[in-house]
């Protein structure tokens, strides 16, 4: 079937537009992140001054209400409540603008996928460029839903930066013109298997990023941050919040990604006459699923609930990325057709 070049061109334009929108949203999210750092510092300074006032008041009462020295200025460096409230209001507007831009980017991203599918009258999973296009969309859609809560929107720079990296690499190094799929992919199981694996992988990516931030927060506890990395970690939510986000997303990753592997085995039996052949890609996918399942088990096991379980989740993220790029692009196997057309 001939390719509709108009739809293909519109798809590429939508891809580039989504990338630009995501990039603008990243800039806004970084400005919001920096403003949150300043607001947190101002809040902590206000609490410190309030505590000093309480101590001075207690000291004055113990000294039979002796007058305070006029040289003591407890308001030095303190941001007025009105000014702090105004800064917080501006920061909220930035967060709302960031969220709106992210949703706009997600919609344009979806348009790029749909137009790509229409251009070749097939599901858009025919090559590695399209696979990256789909998993980044799923990850961004999930993140946009998960980060709706105002206290979590500060996480956007950490989520959108790797997604932009994947999109940039996909659009420059992995790009392939829209074309009919190879005969090996012309199967009923093709869209079912790949879409299920894509959704599971995208959820796993968000879970891995949350675990990475959880480790950073555990290293730099809330209210006791130190040094450069302490400043970086300061606006992040609490370790408990990040750990819960990683855990709740991993709960979805394990069954969905596992179902994708099972569906792939069913397709393999229909196409190659066997359910499992230890092909490099299917082997790495199985290892990744084992690691995610191991994370859930460790997360529920006493003695592993702190940083040990989180490390397993991060290793699972690493194997998924390794499988996505190295196995697809370097190692030769039965799934080699998923690389560059």
């Amino acid at each position: 079937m001939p390719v509709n070049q108009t739809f293909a061109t519109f798809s590429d334009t939508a891809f580039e537009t989504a990338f630009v929108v995501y990039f603008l949203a990243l800039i806004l999210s970084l400005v919001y992140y920096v403003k949150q750092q300043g607001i947190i510092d101002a809040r902590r300074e206000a609490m410190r001054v309030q505590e000093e006032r309480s101590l001075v008041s207690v000291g004055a009462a113990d000294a039979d209400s002796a007058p305070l020295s006029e040289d003591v200025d407890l308001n030095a460096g303190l941001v007025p409540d009105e000014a702090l409230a105004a800064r917080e209001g501006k920061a909220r507007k930035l967060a709302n603008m960031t969220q709106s831009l992210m949703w706009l980017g997600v919609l344009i991203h979806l348009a790029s996928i749909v137009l790509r599918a229409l251009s070749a009258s097939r599901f858009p999973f025919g090559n590695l460029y399209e696979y990256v296009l789909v998993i980044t969309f799923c990850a961004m859609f999930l993140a946009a839903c998960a980060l709706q809560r105002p206290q979590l929107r500060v996480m956007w720079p950490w989520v959108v930066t790797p997604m932009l990296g994947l999109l940039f690499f996909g659009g420059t190094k992995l790009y392939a013109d829209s074309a009919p799929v190879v005969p090996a992919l012309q199967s009923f199981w093709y869209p079912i298997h790949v879409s299920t694996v894509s959704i599971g992988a995208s959820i796993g990516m968000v879970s891995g990023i949350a675990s990475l931030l959880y480790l950073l927060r555990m290293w730099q506890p809330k209210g006791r941050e130190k040094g450069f990395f302490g400043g970086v970690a300061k606006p992040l939510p609490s370790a408990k919040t990040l750990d819960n986000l990683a855990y709740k997303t991993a709960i979805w990753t394990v069954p969905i990604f596992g179902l994708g592997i099972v569906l792939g085995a069913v397709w393999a039996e229909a196409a190659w006459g066997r359910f499992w052949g230890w092909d490099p890609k299917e082997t790495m996918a199985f290892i990744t699923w084992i690691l995610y399942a191991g994370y859930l088990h460790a997360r529920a096991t006493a003695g592993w609930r702190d940083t040990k379980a989180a490390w397993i989740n991060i290793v699972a993220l690493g194997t998924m990325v390794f499988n996505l790029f190295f196995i697809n692009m370097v190692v030769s196997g039965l799934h080699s057709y998923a690389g560059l057309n």
Side-chain angles (χ1 to χ4, degrees):
M1 182 176 293
V3 174
N4 187 316
Q5 292 299 333
T6 301
F7 283 154
T9 301
F10 284 162
S11 173
D12 294 344
T13 302
F15 171 84
E16 295 166 357
T17 305
F19 185 90
V20 171
V21 172
Y22 285 145
F23 185 75
L24 293 176
L26 172 62
I27 294 175
L28 282 181
S29 67
L30 287 172
V31 174
Y32 172 63
Y33 200 91
V34 172
K35 284 187 175 293
Q36 281 296 102
Q37 288 176 323
I39 290 172
I40 291 171
D41 287 337
R43 285 175 180 167
R44 291 178 180 175
E45 181 65 17
M47 292 178 63
R48 183 189 66 80
V49 169
Q50 187 176 5
E51 290 175 357
E52 289 186 357
R53 283 174 177 170
S54 300
L55 291 174
V56 170
S57 299
V58 171
D62 291 342
D64 298 327
S65 300
L68 299 176
S69 170
E70 294 182 357
D71 295 331
V72 178
D73 184 9
L74 296 178
N75 294 319
L78 184 64
V79 178
D81 292 340
E82 297 79 4
L84 182 56
R87 288 170 61 177
E88 291 176 342
K90 292 179 180 179
R92 280 194 297 271
K93 289 180 180 179
L94 274 174
N96 293 335
M97 290 171 62
T98 299
Q99 194 73 12
S100 298
L101 271 181
M102 291 299 181
W103 276 114
L104 177 61
V106 167
L107 292 175
I108 300 174
H109 197 157
L110 176 61
S112 176
I113 295 172
V114 172
L115 289 168
R116 182 80 173 191
L118 292 175
S119 68
S121 300
R122 60 171 175 79
F123 286 89
F125 306 129
N127 50 66
L128 197 53
Y129 162 73
E130 294 175 358
Y131 184 71
V132 169
L133 191 64
V134 171
I135 64 168
T136 49
F137 164 75
C138 293
M140 289 300 296
F141 176 78
L142 173 67
C145 294
L147 304 186
Q148 278 290 109
R149 294 162 57 189
Q151 62 267 35
L152 294 179
R153 292 179 182 178
V154 74
M155 293 175 58
W156 267 122
W158 299 91
V159 175
V160 74
T161 299
M163 295 302 111
L164 280 174
L166 284 174
L167 286 171
F168 179 80
F169 188 77
T172 55
K173 300 297 184 181
L174 305 178
Y175 179 80
D177 291 330
S178 181
V181 293
V182 296
L185 296 181
Q186 296 174 4
S187 168
F188 166 79
W189 294 104
Y190 151 65
I192 300 174
H193 162 61
V194 182
S195 60
T196 306
V197 169
S198 300
I199 295 171
S202 61
I203 299 174
M205 290 170 66
V206 175
S207 178
I209 293 172
S211 282
L212 187 63
L213 296 180
Y214 165 74
L215 290 179
L216 177 60
R217 176 49 86 190
M218 289 292 289
W219 178 34
Q220 300 288 340
K222 205 171 185 66
R224 291 181 286 148
E225 299 92 349
K226 295 180 181 179
F228 171 78
F229 289 102
V232 171
K234 193 177 296 180
L236 289 175
S238 66
K240 181 179 180 181
T241 299
L242 293 168
D243 186 41
N244 285 337
L245 178 61
Y247 177 67
K248 290 177 180 178
T249 46
I251 287 176
W252 287 97
T253 300
V254 171
I256 296 176
F257 194 72
L259 177 62
I261 294 174
V262 171
L263 292 173
V266 174
W267 184 11
E269 197 279 331
W272 300 321
R274 50 76 172 167
F275 288 100
W276 196 264
W278 298 106
D279 180 69
K281 189 171 180 63
E282 64 188 31
T283 301
M284 284 304 302
F286 180 66
I287 292 173
T288 301
W289 181 83
I290 289 292
L291 286 169
Y292 277 116
Y295 163 70
L296 290 183
H297 178 72
R299 178 64 171 64
T301 303
W304 285 77
R305 295 177 184 173
D306 48 12
T307 58
K308 296 178 183 176
W311 276 113
I312 298 176
N313 201 18
I314 292 171
V315 172
L317 174 63
T319 59
M320 182 180 296
V321 175
F322 177 82
N323 197 15
L324 175 62
F325 292 106
F326 186 83
I327 298 297
N328 272 324
M329 300 175 63
V330 179
V331 179
S332 178
L334 292 172
H335 289 79
S336 296
Y337 52 74
L340 306 174
N341 267 0

